[in-house]
Amino acid sequence: MGIFLDWARSASRALHRSLGSARDRRTMLTALLGIASLVLGAAPVLPEEEPAADPGHRVLETVSLQGGAVLVTRAEVGTLSYSDCASGTTCIWTASLYGGTLFQFNQPGAVIGLPAVPIGSYANKRSKRSTFYETAGGGGRSVCAGPWTRNQAVGGWLAGARSLVQNATATSC
């Protein structure tokens, strides 16, 4: 773990020198925190969103998890939508109406720990069902999202769901 922390400090210093804007540094810090949390087995801690100067434009930040790999991308976009979720994945957004930070998952058959962020909306763009669970490890109450379903305004306990299972074979809920 010491080698990883040394690498993270070195990368942070290099990025601070090479990335001019605070937004670029913040994006890279988010990526480093996400990678560190997965390596150390903790839930990712994401920095708070800074208000956009122009309310007509928002920043899309995507954290994709596939087979243990983490990819964080950030881009200026006009309006976020359901179409930002890639086909074959289950997605959650931290705000309703598919806004905020987008997380995409593609790990059929695995119990996926969800990030410790509120779920404002979700989409299951898979041909198989996905099930959200109240607690880590697939326990507690559950909500089944059938193939190609979505919810633009999540409420109740589901907004705090902590695990997801993408079924590898079953399609109906």
PDB file of all heavy atoms in Angstrom, residues 1-42:
ATOM      1  N   MET A   1       0.820  -1.176   0.000  1.00  0.00           N
ATOM      2  CA  MET A   1       0.000   0.000   0.000  1.00  0.00           C
ATOM      3  C   MET A   1       0.872   1.251   0.000  1.00  0.00           C
ATOM      4  O   MET A   1       0.491   2.253  -0.593  1.00  0.00           O
ATOM      5  CB  MET A   1      -0.936  -0.002   1.206  1.00  0.00           C
ATOM      6  CG  MET A   1      -1.871   1.159   1.153  1.00  0.00           C
ATOM      7  SD  MET A   1      -3.108   1.358   2.469  1.00  0.00           S
ATOM      8  CE  MET A   1      -3.314  -0.190   3.196  1.00  0.00           C
ATOM      9  N   GLY A   2       2.046   1.207   0.654  1.00  0.00           N
ATOM     10  CA  GLY A   2       2.942   2.350   0.700  1.00  0.00           C
ATOM     11  C   GLY A   2       3.402   2.781  -0.683  1.00  0.00           C
ATOM     12  O   GLY A   2       3.517   3.969  -0.974  1.00  0.00           O
ATOM     13  N   ILE A   3       3.669   1.804  -1.548  1.00  0.00           N
ATOM     14  CA  ILE A   3       4.094   2.114  -2.918  1.00  0.00           C
ATOM     15  C   ILE A   3       2.979   2.851  -3.643  1.00  0.00           C
ATOM     16  O   ILE A   3       3.218   3.830  -4.344  1.00  0.00           O
ATOM     17  CB  ILE A   3       4.482   0.821  -3.669  1.00  0.00           C
ATOM     18  CG1 ILE A   3       5.747   0.224  -3.053  1.00  0.00           C
ATOM     19  CG2 ILE A   3       4.672   1.086  -5.146  1.00  0.00           C
ATOM     20  CD1 ILE A   3       6.073  -1.153  -3.576  1.00  0.00           C
ATOM     21  N   PHE A   4       1.734   2.408  -3.452  1.00  0.00           N
ATOM     22  CA  PHE A   4       0.604   3.057  -4.099  1.00  0.00           C
ATOM     23  C   PHE A   4       0.468   4.508  -3.623  1.00  0.00           C
ATOM     24  O   PHE A   4       0.256   5.411  -4.420  1.00  0.00           O
ATOM     25  CB  PHE A   4      -0.695   2.293  -3.824  1.00  0.00           C
ATOM     26  CG  PHE A   4      -1.894   2.978  -4.405  1.00  0.00           C
ATOM     27  CD1 PHE A   4      -2.152   2.909  -5.762  1.00  0.00           C
ATOM     28  CD2 PHE A   4      -2.741   3.720  -3.604  1.00  0.00           C
ATOM     29  CE1 PHE A   4      -3.231   3.567  -6.308  1.00  0.00           C
ATOM     30  CE2 PHE A   4      -3.824   4.376  -4.147  1.00  0.00           C
ATOM     31  CZ  PHE A   4      -4.071   4.287  -5.505  1.00  0.00           C
ATOM     32  N   LEU A   5       0.591   4.729  -2.302  1.00  0.00           N
ATOM     33  CA  LEU A   5       0.458   6.085  -1.775  1.00  0.00           C
ATOM     34  C   LEU A   5       1.581   6.985  -2.280  1.00  0.00           C
ATOM     35  O   LEU A   5       1.348   8.151  -2.596  1.00  0.00           O
ATOM     36  CB  LEU A   5       0.437   6.058  -0.249  1.00  0.00           C
ATOM     37  CG  LEU A   5      -0.807   5.403   0.364  1.00  0.00           C
ATOM     38  CD1 LEU A   5      -0.681   5.325   1.868  1.00  0.00           C
ATOM     39  CD2 LEU A   5      -2.065   6.140  -0.030  1.00  0.00           C
ATOM     40  N   ASP A   6       2.814   6.450  -2.372  1.00  0.00           N
ATOM     41  CA  ASP A   6       3.916   7.233  -2.936  1.00  0.00           C
ATOM     42  C   ASP A   6       3.620   7.615  -4.377  1.00  0.00           C
ATOM     43  O   ASP A   6       3.843   8.744  -4.795  1.00  0.00           O
ATOM     44  CB  ASP A   6       5.231   6.448  -2.867  1.00  0.00           C
ATOM     45  CG  ASP A   6       5.732   6.295  -1.444  1.00  0.00           C
ATOM     46  OD1 ASP A   6       5.288   7.068  -0.562  1.00  0.00           O
ATOM     47  OD2 ASP A   6       6.560   5.401  -1.214  1.00  0.00           O
ATOM     48  N   TRP A   7       3.103   6.647  -5.142  1.00  0.00           N
ATOM     49  CA  TRP A   7       2.767   6.908  -6.533  1.00  0.00           C
ATOM     50  C   TRP A   7       1.672   7.979  -6.627  1.00  0.00           C
ATOM     51  O   TRP A   7       1.745   8.887  -7.440  1.00  0.00           O
ATOM     52  CB  TRP A   7       2.299   5.626  -7.215  1.00  0.00           C
ATOM     53  CG  TRP A   7       1.748   5.892  -8.582  1.00  0.00           C
ATOM     54  CD1 TRP A   7       2.438   6.032  -9.733  1.00  0.00           C
ATOM     55  CD2 TRP A   7       0.366   6.101  -8.930  1.00  0.00           C
ATOM     56  NE1 TRP A   7       1.588   6.306 -10.771  1.00  0.00           N
ATOM     57  CE2 TRP A   7       0.310   6.356 -10.295  1.00  0.00           C
ATOM     58  CE3 TRP A   7      -0.812   6.096  -8.201  1.00  0.00           C
ATOM     59  CZ2 TRP A   7      -0.884   6.582 -10.960  1.00  0.00           C
ATOM     60  CZ3 TRP A   7      -1.991   6.340  -8.867  1.00  0.00           C
ATOM     61  CH2 TRP A   7      -2.019   6.574 -10.229  1.00  0.00           C
ATOM     62  N   ALA A   8       0.646   7.876  -5.763  1.00  0.00           N
ATOM     63  CA  ALA A   8      -0.458   8.829  -5.792  1.00  0.00           C
ATOM     64  C   ALA A   8       0.043  10.242  -5.462  1.00  0.00           C
ATOM     65  O   ALA A   8      -0.357  11.212  -6.109  1.00  0.00           O
ATOM     66  CB  ALA A   8      -1.557   8.417  -4.820  1.00  0.00           C
ATOM     67  N   ARG A   9       0.919  10.366  -4.472  1.00  0.00           N
ATOM     68  CA  ARG A   9       1.461  11.690  -4.133  1.00  0.00           C
ATOM     69  C   ARG A   9       2.264  12.256  -5.301  1.00  0.00           C
ATOM     70  O   ARG A   9       2.140  13.422  -5.642  1.00  0.00           O
ATOM     71  CB  ARG A   9       2.347  11.583  -2.891  1.00  0.00           C
ATOM     72  CG  ARG A   9       1.577  11.502  -1.612  1.00  0.00           C
ATOM     73  CD  ARG A   9       2.531  11.580  -0.407  1.00  0.00           C
ATOM     74  NE  ARG A   9       1.900  10.955   0.719  1.00  0.00           N
ATOM     75  CZ  ARG A   9       2.250   9.789   1.248  1.00  0.00           C
ATOM     76  NH1 ARG A   9       3.271   9.130   0.787  1.00  0.00           N
ATOM     77  NH2 ARG A   9       1.583   9.290   2.262  1.00  0.00           N
ATOM     78  N   SER A  10       3.119  11.413  -5.894  1.00  0.00           N
ATOM     79  CA  SER A  10       3.938  11.851  -7.015  1.00  0.00           C
ATOM     80  C   SER A  10       3.061  12.275  -8.200  1.00  0.00           C
ATOM     81  O   SER A  10       3.280  13.307  -8.822  1.00  0.00           O
ATOM     82  CB  SER A  10       4.880  10.722  -7.435  1.00  0.00           C
ATOM     83  OG  SER A  10       5.572  11.053  -8.598  1.00  0.00           O
ATOM     84  N   ALA A  11       2.034  11.472  -8.489  1.00  0.00           N
ATOM     85  CA  ALA A  11       1.117  11.788  -9.590  1.00  0.00           C
ATOM     86  C   ALA A  11       0.367  13.084  -9.308  1.00  0.00           C
ATOM     87  O   ALA A  11       0.189  13.918 -10.188  1.00  0.00           O
ATOM     88  CB  ALA A  11       0.132  10.639  -9.798  1.00  0.00           C
ATOM     89  N   SER A  12      -0.047  13.273  -8.063  1.00  0.00           N
ATOM     90  CA  SER A  12      -0.756  14.488  -7.694  1.00  0.00           C
ATOM     91  C   SER A  12       0.112  15.729  -7.902  1.00  0.00           C
ATOM     92  O   SER A  12      -0.345  16.735  -8.442  1.00  0.00           O
ATOM     93  CB  SER A  12      -1.211  14.397  -6.235  1.00  0.00           C
ATOM     94  OG  SER A  12      -1.841  15.591  -5.855  1.00  0.00           O
ATOM     95  N   ARG A  13       1.380  15.673  -7.480  1.00  0.00           N
ATOM     96  CA  ARG A  13       2.275  16.817  -7.661  1.00  0.00           C
ATOM     97  C   ARG A  13       2.501  17.099  -9.145  1.00  0.00           C
ATOM     98  O   ARG A  13       2.462  18.241  -9.585  1.00  0.00           O
ATOM     99  CB  ARG A  13       3.608  16.570  -6.954  1.00  0.00           C
ATOM    100  CG  ARG A  13       3.527  16.756  -5.441  1.00  0.00           C
ATOM    101  CD  ARG A  13       4.907  16.755  -4.804  1.00  0.00           C
ATOM    102  NE  ARG A  13       5.604  15.491  -4.956  1.00  0.00           N
ATOM    103  CZ  ARG A  13       5.513  14.468  -4.111  1.00  0.00           C
ATOM    104  NH1 ARG A  13       4.754  14.562  -3.038  1.00  0.00           N
ATOM    105  NH2 ARG A  13       6.179  13.363  -4.322  1.00  0.00           N
ATOM    106  N   ALA A  14       2.720  16.050  -9.928  1.00  0.00           N
ATOM    107  CA  ALA A  14       2.948  16.221 -11.365  1.00  0.00           C
ATOM    108  C   ALA A  14       1.709  16.807 -12.037  1.00  0.00           C
ATOM    109  O   ALA A  14       1.809  17.691 -12.893  1.00  0.00           O
ATOM    110  CB  ALA A  14       3.321  14.891 -12.007  1.00  0.00           C
ATOM    111  N   LEU A  15       0.532  16.324 -11.647  1.00  0.00           N
ATOM    112  CA  LEU A  15      -0.697  16.830 -12.241  1.00  0.00           C
ATOM    113  C   LEU A  15      -0.937  18.282 -11.857  1.00  0.00           C
ATOM    114  O   LEU A  15      -1.418  19.079 -12.655  1.00  0.00           O
ATOM    115  CB  LEU A  15      -1.879  15.968 -11.804  1.00  0.00           C
ATOM    116  CG  LEU A  15      -1.903  14.585 -12.421  1.00  0.00           C
ATOM    117  CD1 LEU A  15      -2.941  13.729 -11.752  1.00  0.00           C
ATOM    118  CD2 LEU A  15      -2.146  14.661 -13.908  1.00  0.00           C
ATOM    119  N   HIS A  16      -0.612  18.631 -10.636  1.00  0.00           N
ATOM    120  CA  HIS A  16      -0.803  20.022 -10.183  1.00  0.00           C
ATOM    121  C   HIS A  16       0.032  20.970 -11.043  1.00  0.00           C
ATOM    122  O   HIS A  16      -0.411  22.052 -11.400  1.00  0.00           O
ATOM    123  CB  HIS A  16      -0.425  20.149  -8.714  1.00  0.00           C
ATOM    124  CG  HIS A  16      -0.913  21.432  -8.099  1.00  0.00           C
ATOM    125  ND1 HIS A  16      -0.611  22.663  -8.590  1.00  0.00           N
ATOM    126  CD2 HIS A  16      -1.715  21.641  -7.037  1.00  0.00           C
ATOM    127  CE1 HIS A  16      -1.178  23.587  -7.861  1.00  0.00           C
ATOM    128  NE2 HIS A  16      -1.859  22.995  -6.896  1.00  0.00           N
ATOM    129  N   ARG A  17       1.238  20.533 -11.401  1.00  0.00           N
ATOM    130  CA  ARG A  17       2.094  21.376 -12.240  1.00  0.00           C
ATOM    131  C   ARG A  17       1.608  21.401 -13.682  1.00  0.00           C
ATOM    132  O   ARG A  17       1.678  22.424 -14.356  1.00  0.00           O
ATOM    133  CB  ARG A  17       3.538  20.862 -12.190  1.00  0.00           C
ATOM    134  CG  ARG A  17       4.241  21.134 -10.876  1.00  0.00           C
ATOM    135  CD  ARG A  17       5.720  20.801 -10.965  1.00  0.00           C
ATOM    136  NE  ARG A  17       5.975  19.414 -11.332  1.00  0.00           N
ATOM    137  CZ  ARG A  17       6.116  18.415 -10.464  1.00  0.00           C
ATOM    138  NH1 ARG A  17       6.030  18.643  -9.180  1.00  0.00           N
ATOM    139  NH2 ARG A  17       6.348  17.194 -10.884  1.00  0.00           N
ATOM    140  N   SER A  18       1.106  20.263 -14.196  1.00  0.00           N
ATOM    141  CA  SER A  18       0.783  20.183 -15.615  1.00  0.00           C
ATOM    142  C   SER A  18      -0.649  20.603 -15.946  1.00  0.00           C
ATOM    143  O   SER A  18      -0.929  21.002 -17.063  1.00  0.00           O
ATOM    144  CB  SER A  18       1.034  18.768 -16.139  1.00  0.00           C
ATOM    145  OG  SER A  18       0.148  17.859 -15.531  1.00  0.00           O
ATOM    146  N   LEU A  19      -1.559  20.497 -14.997  1.00  0.00           N
ATOM    147  CA  LEU A  19      -2.952  20.861 -15.259  1.00  0.00           C
ATOM    148  C   LEU A  19      -3.196  22.262 -14.742  1.00  0.00           C
ATOM    149  O   LEU A  19      -3.142  22.513 -13.556  1.00  0.00           O
ATOM    150  CB  LEU A  19      -3.905  19.879 -14.582  1.00  0.00           C
ATOM    151  CG  LEU A  19      -3.796  18.427 -15.061  1.00  0.00           C
ATOM    152  CD1 LEU A  19      -4.672  17.531 -14.221  1.00  0.00           C
ATOM    153  CD2 LEU A  19      -4.157  18.311 -16.522  1.00  0.00           C
ATOM    154  N   GLY A  20      -3.481  23.166 -15.649  1.00  0.00           N
ATOM    155  CA  GLY A  20      -3.582  24.573 -15.296  1.00  0.00           C
ATOM    156  C   GLY A  20      -4.820  24.949 -14.498  1.00  0.00           C
ATOM    157  O   GLY A  20      -4.740  25.689 -13.535  1.00  0.00           O
ATOM    158  N   SER A  21      -5.975  24.415 -14.870  1.00  0.00           N
ATOM    159  CA  SER A  21      -7.192  24.881 -14.217  1.00  0.00           C
ATOM    160  C   SER A  21      -7.538  24.045 -12.995  1.00  0.00           C
ATOM    161  O   SER A  21      -7.197  22.871 -12.898  1.00  0.00           O
ATOM    162  CB  SER A  21      -8.370  24.851 -15.197  1.00  0.00           C
ATOM    163  OG  SER A  21      -8.825  23.533 -15.383  1.00  0.00           O
ATOM    164  N   ALA A  22      -8.260  24.652 -12.090  1.00  0.00           N
ATOM    165  CA  ALA A  22      -8.720  23.948 -10.890  1.00  0.00           C
ATOM    166  C   ALA A  22      -9.664  22.819 -11.276  1.00  0.00           C
ATOM    167  O   ALA A  22      -9.657  21.754 -10.662  1.00  0.00           O
ATOM    168  CB  ALA A  22      -9.409  24.925  -9.944  1.00  0.00           C
ATOM    169  N   ARG A  23     -10.466  23.031 -12.309  1.00  0.00           N
ATOM    170  CA  ARG A  23     -11.403  21.992 -12.753  1.00  0.00           C
ATOM    171  C   ARG A  23     -10.648  20.759 -13.247  1.00  0.00           C
ATOM    172  O   ARG A  23     -11.010  19.632 -12.933  1.00  0.00           O
ATOM    173  CB  ARG A  23     -12.303  22.528 -13.855  1.00  0.00           C
ATOM    174  CG  ARG A  23     -13.249  21.461 -14.398  1.00  0.00           C
ATOM    175  CD  ARG A  23     -14.248  22.012 -15.338  1.00  0.00           C
ATOM    176  NE  ARG A  23     -15.280  22.601 -14.505  1.00  0.00           N
ATOM    177  CZ  ARG A  23     -16.222  23.398 -14.961  1.00  0.00           C
ATOM    178  NH1 ARG A  23     -16.274  23.706 -16.220  1.00  0.00           N
ATOM    179  NH2 ARG A  23     -17.139  23.898 -14.166  1.00  0.00           N
ATOM    180  N   ASP A  24      -9.553  20.960 -14.015  1.00  0.00           N
ATOM    181  CA  ASP A  24      -8.754  19.827 -14.489  1.00  0.00           C
ATOM    182  C   ASP A  24      -8.142  19.070 -13.318  1.00  0.00           C
ATOM    183  O   ASP A  24      -8.130  17.850 -13.290  1.00  0.00           O
ATOM    184  CB  ASP A  24      -7.639  20.299 -15.431  1.00  0.00           C
ATOM    185  CG  ASP A  24      -8.170  20.790 -16.766  1.00  0.00           C
ATOM    186  OD1 ASP A  24      -9.325  20.474 -17.102  1.00  0.00           O
ATOM    187  OD2 ASP A  24      -7.428  21.495 -17.469  1.00  0.00           O
ATOM    188  N   ARG A  25      -7.625  19.817 -12.342  1.00  0.00           N
ATOM    189  CA  ARG A  25      -7.030  19.166 -11.166  1.00  0.00           C
ATOM    190  C   ARG A  25      -8.084  18.408 -10.380  1.00  0.00           C
ATOM    191  O   ARG A  25      -7.858  17.306  -9.900  1.00  0.00           O
ATOM    192  CB  ARG A  25      -6.326  20.191 -10.282  1.00  0.00           C
ATOM    193  CG  ARG A  25      -5.017  20.696 -10.875  1.00  0.00           C
ATOM    194  CD  ARG A  25      -4.205  21.496  -9.887  1.00  0.00           C
ATOM    195  NE  ARG A  25      -4.872  22.669  -9.367  1.00  0.00           N
ATOM    196  CZ  ARG A  25      -4.868  23.864  -9.948  1.00  0.00           C
ATOM    197  NH1 ARG A  25      -4.235  24.054 -11.089  1.00  0.00           N
ATOM    198  NH2 ARG A  25      -5.497  24.879  -9.389  1.00  0.00           N
ATOM    199  N   ARG A  26      -9.272  18.977 -10.264  1.00  0.00           N
ATOM    200  CA  ARG A  26     -10.360  18.339  -9.525  1.00  0.00           C
ATOM    201  C   ARG A  26     -10.802  17.048 -10.209  1.00  0.00           C
ATOM    202  O   ARG A  26     -11.048  16.041  -9.558  1.00  0.00           O
ATOM    203  CB  ARG A  26     -11.527  19.307  -9.421  1.00  0.00           C
ATOM    204  CG  ARG A  26     -12.586  18.881  -8.467  1.00  0.00           C
ATOM    205  CD  ARG A  26     -13.634  19.954  -8.469  1.00  0.00           C
ATOM    206  NE  ARG A  26     -14.832  19.385  -9.025  1.00  0.00           N
ATOM    207  CZ  ARG A  26     -15.960  19.316  -8.368  1.00  0.00           C
ATOM    208  NH1 ARG A  26     -16.047  19.818  -7.180  1.00  0.00           N
ATOM    209  NH2 ARG A  26     -17.008  18.777  -8.908  1.00  0.00           N
ATOM    210  N   THR A  27     -10.879  17.064 -11.538  1.00  0.00           N
ATOM    211  CA  THR A  27     -11.242  15.864 -12.280  1.00  0.00           C
ATOM    212  C   THR A  27     -10.213  14.760 -12.046  1.00  0.00           C
ATOM    213  O   THR A  27     -10.564  13.606 -11.807  1.00  0.00           O
ATOM    214  CB  THR A  27     -11.347  16.174 -13.790  1.00  0.00           C
ATOM    215  OG1 THR A  27     -12.373  17.142 -13.972  1.00  0.00           O
ATOM    216  CG2 THR A  27     -11.659  14.924 -14.595  1.00  0.00           C
ATOM    217  N   MET A  28      -8.949  15.113 -12.119  1.00  0.00           N
ATOM    218  CA  MET A  28      -7.916  14.115 -11.909  1.00  0.00           C
ATOM    219  C   MET A  28      -7.932  13.610 -10.471  1.00  0.00           C
ATOM    220  O   MET A  28      -7.741  12.429 -10.219  1.00  0.00           O
ATOM    221  CB  MET A  28      -6.542  14.700 -12.270  1.00  0.00           C
ATOM    222  CG  MET A  28      -5.481  13.640 -12.396  1.00  0.00           C
ATOM    223  SD  MET A  28      -5.898  12.271 -13.534  1.00  0.00           S
ATOM    224  CE  MET A  28      -6.024  13.087 -15.074  1.00  0.00           C
ATOM    225  N   LEU A  29      -8.179  14.495  -9.506  1.00  0.00           N
ATOM    226  CA  LEU A  29      -8.268  14.081  -8.108  1.00  0.00           C
ATOM    227  C   LEU A  29      -9.416  13.103  -7.921  1.00  0.00           C
ATOM    228  O   LEU A  29      -9.291  12.102  -7.218  1.00  0.00           O
ATOM    229  CB  LEU A  29      -8.456  15.303  -7.209  1.00  0.00           C
ATOM    230  CG  LEU A  29      -8.650  15.004  -5.726  1.00  0.00           C
ATOM    231  CD1 LEU A  29      -7.416  14.286  -5.172  1.00  0.00           C
ATOM    232  CD2 LEU A  29      -8.909  16.283  -4.964  1.00  0.00           C
ATOM    233  N   THR A  30     -10.544  13.352  -8.590  1.00  0.00           N
ATOM    234  CA  THR A  30     -11.676  12.440  -8.517  1.00  0.00           C
ATOM    235  C   THR A  30     -11.279  11.063  -9.036  1.00  0.00           C
ATOM    236  O   THR A  30     -11.607  10.041  -8.445  1.00  0.00           O
ATOM    237  CB  THR A  30     -12.865  12.987  -9.338  1.00  0.00           C
ATOM    238  OG1 THR A  30     -13.242  14.246  -8.801  1.00  0.00           O
ATOM    239  CG2 THR A  30     -14.046  12.039  -9.300  1.00  0.00           C
ATOM    240  N   ALA A  31     -10.550  11.029 -10.151  1.00  0.00           N
ATOM    241  CA  ALA A  31     -10.095   9.750 -10.712  1.00  0.00           C
ATOM    242  C   ALA A  31      -9.162   9.042  -9.741  1.00  0.00           C
ATOM    243  O   ALA A  31      -9.303   7.841  -9.494  1.00  0.00           O
ATOM    244  CB  ALA A  31      -9.384   9.985 -12.042  1.00  0.00           C
ATOM    245  N   LEU A  32      -8.208   9.767  -9.179  1.00  0.00           N
ATOM    246  CA  LEU A  32      -7.261   9.159  -8.240  1.00  0.00           C
ATOM    247  C   LEU A  32      -7.974   8.639  -6.997  1.00  0.00           C
ATOM    248  O   LEU A  32      -7.652   7.547  -6.498  1.00  0.00           O
ATOM    249  CB  LEU A  32      -6.167  10.157  -7.848  1.00  0.00           C
ATOM    250  CG  LEU A  32      -5.151  10.476  -8.938  1.00  0.00           C
ATOM    251  CD1 LEU A  32      -4.240  11.620  -8.488  1.00  0.00           C
ATOM    252  CD2 LEU A  32      -4.351   9.263  -9.325  1.00  0.00           C
ATOM    253  N   LEU A  33      -8.942   9.411  -6.482  1.00  0.00           N
ATOM    254  CA  LEU A  33      -9.690   8.957  -5.314  1.00  0.00           C
ATOM    255  C   LEU A  33     -10.495   7.700  -5.626  1.00  0.00           C
ATOM    256  O   LEU A  33     -10.577   6.787  -4.801  1.00  0.00           O
ATOM    257  CB  LEU A  33     -10.619  10.059  -4.808  1.00  0.00           C
ATOM    258  CG  LEU A  33      -9.955  11.226  -4.100  1.00  0.00           C
ATOM    259  CD1 LEU A  33     -10.971  12.322  -3.818  1.00  0.00           C
ATOM    260  CD2 LEU A  33      -9.291  10.777  -2.821  1.00  0.00           C
ATOM    261  N   GLY A  34     -11.102   7.658  -6.801  1.00  0.00           N
ATOM    262  CA  GLY A  34     -11.863   6.471  -7.190  1.00  0.00           C
ATOM    263  C   GLY A  34     -10.988   5.243  -7.304  1.00  0.00           C
ATOM    264  O   GLY A  34     -11.324   4.169  -6.816  1.00  0.00           O
ATOM    265  N   ILE A  35      -9.825   5.383  -7.911  1.00  0.00           N
ATOM    266  CA  ILE A  35      -8.893   4.264  -8.047  1.00  0.00           C
ATOM    267  C   ILE A  35      -8.394   3.838  -6.677  1.00  0.00           C
ATOM    268  O   ILE A  35      -8.376   2.650  -6.341  1.00  0.00           O
ATOM    269  CB  ILE A  35      -7.722   4.645  -8.978  1.00  0.00           C
ATOM    270  CG1 ILE A  35      -8.237   4.829 -10.407  1.00  0.00           C
ATOM    271  CG2 ILE A  35      -6.624   3.580  -8.927  1.00  0.00           C
ATOM    272  CD1 ILE A  35      -7.247   5.493 -11.336  1.00  0.00           C
ATOM    273  N   ALA A  36      -8.013   4.805  -5.842  1.00  0.00           N
ATOM    274  CA  ALA A  36      -7.508   4.491  -4.507  1.00  0.00           C
ATOM    275  C   ALA A  36      -8.559   3.766  -3.688  1.00  0.00           C
ATOM    276  O   ALA A  36      -8.253   2.795  -2.988  1.00  0.00           O
ATOM    277  CB  ALA A  36      -7.062   5.766  -3.798  1.00  0.00           C
ATOM    278  N   SER A  37      -9.810   4.220  -3.778  1.00  0.00           N
ATOM    279  CA  SER A  37     -10.850   3.580  -2.976  1.00  0.00           C
ATOM    280  C   SER A  37     -11.093   2.145  -3.422  1.00  0.00           C
ATOM    281  O   SER A  37     -11.340   1.275  -2.597  1.00  0.00           O
ATOM    282  CB  SER A  37     -12.136   4.390  -3.028  1.00  0.00           C
ATOM    283  OG  SER A  37     -12.682   4.374  -4.321  1.00  0.00           O
ATOM    284  N   LEU A  38     -10.998   1.884  -4.720  1.00  0.00           N
ATOM    285  CA  LEU A  38     -11.167   0.511  -5.182  1.00  0.00           C
ATOM    286  C   LEU A  38      -9.995  -0.365  -4.765  1.00  0.00           C
ATOM    287  O   LEU A  38     -10.177  -1.505  -4.356  1.00  0.00           O
ATOM    288  CB  LEU A  38     -11.332   0.484  -6.706  1.00  0.00           C
ATOM    289  CG  LEU A  38     -12.660   1.032  -7.192  1.00  0.00           C
ATOM    290  CD1 LEU A  38     -12.686   1.106  -8.700  1.00  0.00           C
ATOM    291  CD2 LEU A  38     -13.799   0.178  -6.701  1.00  0.00           C
ATOM    292  N   VAL A  39      -8.777   0.165  -4.846  1.00  0.00           N
ATOM    293  CA  VAL A  39      -7.594  -0.595  -4.442  1.00  0.00           C
ATOM    294  C   VAL A  39      -7.650  -0.902  -2.953  1.00  0.00           C
ATOM    295  O   VAL A  39      -7.328  -1.995  -2.513  1.00  0.00           O
ATOM    296  CB  VAL A  39      -6.292   0.174  -4.791  1.00  0.00           C
ATOM    297  CG1 VAL A  39      -5.084  -0.441  -4.133  1.00  0.00           C
ATOM    298  CG2 VAL A  39      -6.112   0.219  -6.296  1.00  0.00           C
ATOM    299  N   LEU A  40      -8.090   0.083  -2.157  1.00  0.00           N
ATOM    300  CA  LEU A  40      -8.121  -0.084  -0.710  1.00  0.00           C
ATOM    301  C   LEU A  40      -9.426  -0.694  -0.221  1.00  0.00           C
ATOM    302  O   LEU A  40      -9.585  -0.942   0.963  1.00  0.00           O
ATOM    303  CB  LEU A  40      -7.892   1.270  -0.026  1.00  0.00           C
ATOM    304  CG  LEU A  40      -6.553   1.936  -0.363  1.00  0.00           C
ATOM    305  CD1 LEU A  40      -6.492   3.326   0.245  1.00  0.00           C
ATOM    306  CD2 LEU A  40      -5.391   1.089   0.110  1.00  0.00           C
ATOM    307  N   GLY A  41     -10.379  -0.940  -1.126  1.00  0.00           N
ATOM    308  CA  GLY A  41     -11.632  -1.583  -0.761  1.00  0.00           C
ATOM    309  C   GLY A  41     -12.632  -0.672  -0.080  1.00  0.00           C
ATOM    310  O   GLY A  41     -13.541  -1.132   0.581  1.00  0.00           O
ATOM    311  N   ALA A  42     -12.496   0.620  -0.230  1.00  0.00           N
ATOM    312  CA  ALA A  42     -13.422   1.564   0.398  1.00  0.00           C
ATOM    313  C   ALA A  42     -14.347   2.154  -0.653  1.00  0.00           C
ATOM    314  O   ALA A  42     -14.078   2.074  -1.843  1.00  0.00           O
ATOM    315  CB  ALA A  42     -12.636   2.689   1.074  1.00  0.00           C
TER     316      ALA A  42
END
